[in-house]
Amino acid sequence: MKTYQHFIDGQYVDPLGGEWIDTVNPYTGQAWARVPKGCARDVDRAVQAAHRAMTTGPFARMTPTQRGKLMLRLADLVAANAQRLAEVEVRDNGKLYSEMKGQLDYHPEWWRYYGGLADKLEGSVMPIDKPDHFAFTTHEPVGVVGALTAWNSPLLFVAWKCAPAIAAGCAVVVKPSEFASASTLEFAALTREAGFPDGVFNVVTGLGAAAGAALVDHPDVAKITFTGSDSTGRQIYAQAARTMKRVTLELGGKSPNIVFDDCDLGKAAAGVISGIFAATGQTCIAGSRLLVQNSIREAFTQRVVELGASARKGDPMSPDTNIGPVTTPPQYRKILDYIDVARREGARCVLGGAPAAGMPGGQFVEPTIFVDVTPQMRIAREEVFGPVLSIIGFDDEEEAIRLANDTIYGLAAGVWTENMGRAVRMSRALRAGTVWVNTYRAVSFMMPFGGMKQSGIGRESGVESIRAYLETKSTLISFAEGAPANPFVLR
Ligand code: NAD
């Protein structure tokens, strides 16, 4: 069994507490490696290394152009190692190799995009209204960044968070999910190979309540960027307030996929399936509520059920597999509990609704579809994070908007229509950070991503997200000659 170490100050090091956690392959149910069970002392060591890198190390003296070049080199190294890293992720989180390899092939674009942006963070010279003053703004790195990531796409989240942070001049300490830490630890070696100075990129693994909480509490961490559940997000938001940390929170969702009777039904059915069964439903953007126009509800439901039934379960490494295992035992139990709750509340199961028999590792759930769902049911309101779809009918645009927005979440929404006026109206009316029209699960390094309402705070990707890693400084220089100004009045 492989034994991993933390990556701190450019070196792989053992945990100070001398403890490890087994990391389990969800497909086989067997532990395949162990990762350090980090404690507050490990976190402190990493934060100090990051702080040194930002203040006294060579990184602090680098020009933004030099930082950008390092990032471009890292991008090429990730591209060259995409297959190996994707295999590690599949072993750790059980998601399909095709999905993880696709993510790893795309991952370098974030380093390229923000590497190119590093030396374009211009300040402004202000046409200041005060005579004899020269005034300008500059953007400075916010400070050491603590990045907490979820298990479903570990290295994608590293790119989303660390590429803008490092482009901005910040050093980072990443605490990946205890369920899938190995790929982030492997990735760390590539930052060293790319020439990142020691301490710029650090990884401390361990439990959320110990290593994660220590990072959020650390006084020398200026900003926390978090991807995970809304309950942990709330806790972190409150905890970060104690030291006035800046926070970006990417949380969960209950995203509606809205199908109008004027759409291309074949494309819509494939989009609905991709929204809920891809990645075994374990994505924050899962389109877990299908809102379908009543005029086509029965026929469309039939189509989606047939397509869902044809999804092949199996080994996530096989190119023939569509549905892999659920990643963690608690998540597996949570999905089955929600299926029970839906039945008890009166929803009718028309596909799946049970563990999948005969699969290794014991953590497979059948793709599941419920009809007769009402908007008040828990299955229509709470995030399941699994392959469970709720279908609700609507009559017209107004009702679709009302149902879609009737949620505490606001991460994403899908709209299926051939009517472009309707597409624009829906995009305006939906309270969601991303609206997809006639597509679903399309993300890009240049498109801001994040949630409205309780789906989070802030955005990742795109130019604007780099601002979350910067502080703006205003400098005013007086070149007035003559007697000093009255010291008792505001200038
Ligand atoms: P989680 O909240 O359990 O854990 C996320 C990370 O936070 C892990 O690294 C964990 O160790 C750490 N953590 C846990 N408790 C902590 C604490 N008290 N203090 C500090 N850190 C702590 O989430 P998860 O189960 O790993 O991921 C699933 C969730 O992530 C789902 O709710 C999903 O919707 C959400 N998610 C959101 C996005 C997005 O971009 N919006 C993307 C993927 C997943």
Side-chain angles (χ1 to χ4, degrees):
M1 201 158 81
K2 181 156 184 169
T3 297
Y4 283 96
Q5 294 171 295
H6 296 310
F7 185 79
I8 298 175
D9 211 9
Q11 305 296 326
Y12 283 105
V13 293
D14 280 345
L16 292 170
E19 290 187 89
W20 272 262
I21 310 168
D22 280 355
T23 189
V24 173
N25 178 335
Y27 180 59
T28 62
Q30 305 294 316
W32 70 274
R34 47 184 211 149
V35 299
K37 188 175 180 182
C39 62
R41 286 187 297 144
D42 295 309
V43 169
D44 183 52
R45 215 170 142 188
V47 172
Q48 284 190 31
H51 194 259
R52 268 196 311 277
M54 280 196 66
T55 48
T56 55
F59 185 66
R61 292 188 296 276
M62 273 183 181
T63 63
T65 308
Q66 288 170 325
R67 287 202 299 269
K69 284 183 182 160
L70 285 183
M71 295 173 66
L72 299 183
R73 228 176 288 149
L74 177 62
D76 290 344
L77 286 169
V78 177
N81 286 276
Q83 181 181 334
R84 182 174 60 82
L85 293 169
E87 285 169 5
V88 172
E89 296 216 313
V90 175
R91 224 171 290 146
D92 241 3
N93 70 10
K95 281 173 69 179
L96 301 190
Y97 175 73
S98 49
E99 163 98 348
M100 300 330 280
K101 175 69 167 35
Q103 288 189 7
L104 261 303
D105 285 340
Y106 200 29
H107 175 123
E109 297 306 333
W110 272 265
W111 295 101
R112 295 191 179 116
Y113 183 75
Y114 289 104
L117 190 59
D119 58 6
K120 293 162 195 73
L121 304 170
E122 297 164 351
S124 307
V125 174
M126 313 303 270
I128 187 85
D129 61 325
K130 304 190 183 307
D132 304 334
H133 277 72
F134 178 59
F136 59 92
T137 60
T138 44
H139 303 295
E140 299 182 354
V142 65
V144 172
V145 170
L148 296 153
T149 56
W151 41 259
N152 54 339
S153 300
L155 283 178
L156 195 65
F157 300 144
V158 164
W160 290 12
K161 295 171 190 313
C162 300
I166 292 172
C170 301
V172 296
V173 178
V174 184
K175 209 301 285 170
S177 165
E178 52 272 42
F179 293 108
S181 297
S183 61
T184 306
L185 289 166
E186 299 258 2
F187 170 88
L190 301 181
T191 65
R192 191 166 57 185
E193 203 179 327
F196 279 42
D198 294 348
V200 173
F201 183 86
N202 307 275
V203 185
V204 175
T205 60
L207 302 179
L215 193 57
V216 179
D217 265 342
H218 201 292
D220 289 335
V221 173
K223 171 165 177 97
I224 290 291
T225 169
F226 168 82
T227 295
S229 59
D230 54 347
S231 58
T232 309
R234 273 188 203 95
Q235 224 174 307
I236 286 175
Y237 196 21
Q239 201 181 332
R242 295 210 284 264
T243 41
M244 208 55 82
K245 287 182 174 55
R246 284 82 181 111
V247 291
T248 299
L249 303 174
E250 295 288 359
L251 311 176
K254 193 73 198 174
S255 300
N257 223 334
I258 308 163
V259 177
F260 287 96
D261 61 7
D262 64 30
C263 75
D264 178 325
L265 294 176
K267 285 187 182 150
V272 167
I273 292 294
S274 130
I276 191 63
F277 296 143
T280 313
Q282 301 173 114
T283 69
C284 52
I285 48 180
S288 50
R289 288 185 297 151
L290 167 57
L291 306 182
V292 55
Q293 200 151 20
N294 282 325
S295 48
I296 55 165
R297 183 160 49 96
E298 278 188 22
F300 190 74
T301 298
Q302 190 54 35
R303 205 166 177 152
V304 171
V305 167
E306 278 165 20
L307 214 50
S310 69
R312 288 180 300 272
K313 299 172 291 288
D315 182 349
M317 286 301 292
S318 161
D320 296 331
T321 300
N322 305 128
I323 305 247
V326 173
T327 300
T328 73
Q331 188 57 34
Y332 177 69
R333 288 190 293 273
K334 181 177 155 192
I335 296 170
L336 295 177
D337 280 352
Y338 268 112
I339 289 173
D340 273 355
V341 167
R343 284 205 173 94
R344 281 204 304 274
E345 288 188 338
R348 186 161 55 88
C349 186
V350 289
L351 182 70
M359 305 302 295
Q363 258 173 223
F364 277 82
V365 177
E366 291 288 355
T368 296
I369 299 181
F370 281 102
V371 296
D372 299 344
V373 175
T374 64
Q376 290 72 35
M377 289 180 183
R378 285 181 61 196
I379 199 74
R381 307 199 76 77
E382 298 175 19
E383 186 185 45
V384 177
F385 218 59
V388 182
L389 179 68
S390 299
I391 302 185
I392 299 174
F394 68 85
D395 284 325
D396 53 22
E397 249 176 68
E398 201 182 321
E399 190 182 11
I401 292 165
R402 189 171 47 72
L403 288 170
N405 287 340
D406 179 19
T407 167
I408 60 166
Y409 296 111
L411 190 58
V415 178
W416 299 87
T417 179
E418 292 296 305
N419 175 336
M420 284 305 114
R422 170 172 277 169
V424 173
R425 284 192 298 277
M426 292 300 290
S427 165
R428 284 191 180 167
L430 290 167
R431 294 285 296 156
T434 296
V435 175
W436 288 296
V437 178
N438 297 335
T439 183
Y440 205 85
R441 284 187 100 224
V443 295
S444 163
F445 49 89
M446 63 177 77
M447 292 299 285
F449 177 87
M452 293 186 183
K453 302 196 274 184
Q454 294 187 35
S455 284
I457 294 177
R459 294 290 179 272
E460 297 191 305
S461 302
V463 173
E464 70 176 61
S465 82
I466 202 165
R467 301 230 170 267
Y469 298 97
L470 294 166
E471 294 281 12
T472 299
K473 179 176 282 175
S474 294
T475 303
L476 295 97
I477 303 174
S478 166
F479 50 88
E481 292 183 344
N486 181 350
F488 302 105
V489 293
L490 188 69
R491 272 167 223 188

